[in-house]
Amino acid sequence: MKNKFANRMSKTPRSFVREILKVSENPEIISFAGGLPNPESFPVESISKAVHHVLSKNGSEALQYSTTEGYRPLREYISKRYDSQGLKVDPDEILITNGSQQCLDLVGKVFLNKKDTVVMESPTYLAAIQAFNLYEPVFKTVPLMEDGIDLEKLEEVLKNENPKLFYAVTNFHNPTGITYSEKKRKKLAALLKEYDTILVEDNPYGEIRFMGENILPVKSWLDDGILFGSFSKIVSPGMRLGWIVAKEEVMDKLITVKQASDLHSNYFTQRIVYQYLYTNPVDDHIQKIRNLYKKKRDMMISMMNEYFPPEIHYTHPEGGMFIWVTLPEGISSMELFDMALKENVAFVPGEAFFVDGSGKNTMRLNFTNSDDENIQKGIKSLGKSIKELLAKLKAV
């Protein structure tokens, strides 16, 4: 059997985070590993009412096959929400998907041939590495700065490598938590247009800003850019609904490959989500999520300030779900992971987020899915493990 698998399978490992999450399923473990929304944010009662309404009023229709593009009223809702935020998007430029993860796969199918060049941030979203890797591209990476991608180094890559795609998470980046400044977004758009490279802009966290001012997507200055969105962070990840925004020429190809994959995303769930959005004050719900996450972010930062040694650096996100930690050179976050796990604390070692296997002294912490007591206890314990590892290094 082993000689029957496609060659690409030998180059595509399982998700590192998913494997770590198996370890942290033990209820005794305080897990800062998964990128999980807090269950307190799930509108269970309102969703229940939406389900009842859809089944009682339109049950036969909602349980039938539907169009690949997705439920039209839901796409119109997304379009109007973009419009209220300052971005013009026609409903026909929106394709409903099975979460934003499917967006990555569909874009890979539409655009990538073997050995095409894809530019990635360094570090980058590890599931994007995994999704694109199936199509056997050549990855080129550009380091992130505090306000977004290093534009000088990006231009070098654009000029010398002629990449087909540039993938970016521009708001509350996964894994680092940083956000691209408006100035950098405008310059990035101009660069990509000049070098005819397709922007793939992933924005699953954009609505979860709890500090600072909202900034329009890079696509606002680059009309041909591709933009992803998701209901996972503002409604429920279990409902697995996201979307792609793209112009007609690209949308036609995306619809074709989606039809080959699954015909259409879960139509029943689309109807439920639309009913929920239509009948509830969604902005009030999102504000509750923001308030909850800001409190947890502030608590984790406060505990890190108190218990982490001064030589440890970490980001201060204005939204989203993650804090990125950089340890001194020579410190292995994998070794720290093993030590922390013995103390019943888990996180994601940063190496998984780098295409080239670097970042061995980095790690990602999730602050949204732990209660206050576990944040306090877990960060205190993690700080203790870091100090022990530093002392061990200095003793060598």
Side-chain angles (χ1 to χ4, degrees):
M1 180 70 75
K2 66 180 180 180
N3 294 326
K4 302 295 185 182
F5 295 120
N7 292 337
R8 72 178 72 92
M9 295 311 299
S10 65
K11 302 176 182 178
T12 307
R14 290 189 178 192
S15 168
F16 187 68
V17 170
R18 294 297 156 190
E19 296 305 304
I20 282 180
L21 287 180
K22 291 179 184 178
V23 175
S24 60
E25 282 179 350
N26 183 335
E28 294 182 1
I29 291 178
I30 299 171
S31 178
F32 302 133
L36 304 178
N38 195 299
E40 290 181 38
S41 71
F42 300 158
V44 177
E45 185 176 343
S46 296
I47 292 292
S48 178
K49 291 178 180 178
V51 171
H52 176 74
H53 183 277
V54 169
L55 286 174
S56 61
K57 301 296 184 182
N58 307 103
S60 297
E61 181 183 340
L63 294 172
Q64 186 56 278
Y65 283 115
S66 186
T67 59
T68 304
E69 292 86 343
Y71 185 43
R72 179 79 188 188
L74 181 59
R75 290 186 287 131
E76 289 174 347
Y77 179 92
I78 296 168
S79 171
K80 289 176 183 176
R81 192 159 184 86
Y82 275 129
D83 186 58
S84 70
Q85 296 167 351
L87 179 62
K88 297 291 183 182
V89 175
D90 190 277
D92 289 331
E93 298 173 344
I94 297 170
L95 171 66
I96 303 297
T97 63
N98 300 317
S100 57
Q101 188 71 20
Q102 189 182 43
C103 301
L104 293 163
D105 182 55
L106 296 180
V107 165
K109 285 178 178 174
V110 167
F111 288 105
L112 294 180
N113 296 312
K114 187 175 181 178
K115 295 188 178 179
D116 278 345
T117 300
V118 177
V119 183
M120 307 288 274
E121 301 157 321
S122 184
T124 190
Y125 178 41
L126 63 86
I129 300 173
Q130 188 179 35
F132 290 151
N133 198 50
L134 279 169
Y135 304 101
E136 302 179 79
V138 174
F139 290 118
K140 296 295 179 180
T141 61
V142 178
L144 281 172
M145 305 169 77
E146 290 185 2
D147 63 344
I149 202 76
D150 185 326
L151 290 175
E152 288 186 12
K153 292 185 178 176
L154 175 63
E155 185 166 17
E156 290 178 16
V157 173
L158 296 177
K159 185 184 298 182
N160 298 326
E161 304 293 341
N162 189 30
K164 187 173 281 186
L165 304 178
F166 169 61
Y167 172 80
V169 182
T170 52
N171 286 316
F172 321 123
H173 182 263
N174 183 358
T176 68
I178 68 101
T179 294
Y180 283 50
S181 67
E182 182 174 292
K183 180 180 179 181
K184 185 150 283 189
R185 292 177 194 228
K186 291 179 179 179
K187 290 183 177 179
L188 172 61
L191 265 183
L192 295 176
K193 186 173 183 179
E194 179 183 351
Y195 288 97
D196 194 30
T197 296
I198 299 164
L199 168 70
V200 181
E201 184 175 12
D202 203 348
N203 189 32
Y205 313 103
E207 295 268 24
I208 316 176
R209 174 179 283 279
F210 42 70
M211 300 170 68
E213 299 296 325
N214 288 326
I215 309 174
L216 286 170
V218 177
K219 181 174 168 56
S220 302
W221 297 282
L222 188 64
D223 196 42
D224 289 336
I226 297 169
L227 178 64
F228 299 166
S230 174
F231 289 114
S232 291
K233 310 304 183 292
I234 60 171
V235 182
S236 157
M239 303 186 89
R240 303 311 305 134
L241 284 184
W243 65 88
I244 303 179
V245 177
K247 288 299 182 181
E248 181 180 0
E249 180 184 9
V250 175
M251 183 57 65
D252 180 66
K253 304 297 184 188
L254 290 168
I255 290 170
T256 299
V257 298
K258 183 166 171 59
Q259 287 171 343
S261 294
D262 61 9
L263 190 60
H264 64 76
S265 296
N266 189 312
Y267 183 53
F268 181 48
T269 301
Q270 291 182 59
R271 296 292 294 258
I272 293 167
V273 168
Y274 173 73
Q275 182 63 29
Y276 164 74
L277 296 169
Y278 180 74
T279 57
N280 289 275
V282 176
D283 286 325
D284 290 349
H285 172 67
I286 292 173
Q287 189 57 51
K288 289 178 182 178
I289 297 174
R290 291 169 179 162
N291 294 342
L292 175 66
Y293 289 1
K294 183 180 186 301
K295 179 185 174 185
K296 292 182 179 299
R297 175 265 194 201
D298 289 351
M299 178 170 290
M300 184 170 280
I301 291 287
S302 175
M303 295 300 292
M304 292 165 75
N305 288 342
E306 182 172 355
Y307 291 106
F308 279 18
E311 55 265 61
I312 308 303
H313 300 283
Y314 39 90
T315 57
H316 293 69
E318 296 183 337
M321 304 171 68
F322 305 109
I323 296 171
W324 184 246
V325 181
T326 304
L327 306 166
E329 289 293 335
I331 296 289
S332 166
S333 62
M334 278 300 302
E335 186 175 356
L336 178 62
F337 176 80
D338 291 336
M339 293 174 63
L341 201 59
K342 291 176 182 177
E343 302 297 325
N344 289 334
V345 178
F347 58 86
V348 183
E351 184 178 344
F353 301 97
F354 291 82
V355 170
D356 59 3
S358 59
K360 297 184 188 302
N361 64 323
T362 61
M363 60 182 181
R364 189 192 75 178
L365 301 178
N366 167 260
F367 55 81
T368 59
N369 193 42
S370 298
D371 61 33
D372 295 353
E373 181 181 354
N374 278 338
I375 290 175
Q376 294 170 2
K377 183 179 177 182
I379 293 300
K380 183 177 180 180
S381 178
L382 188 55
K384 178 174 174 288
S385 294
I386 291 172
K387 289 172 184 175
E388 289 176 0
L389 191 56
L390 284 173
K392 178 180 174 182
L393 182 70
K394 291 175 182 175
V396 174

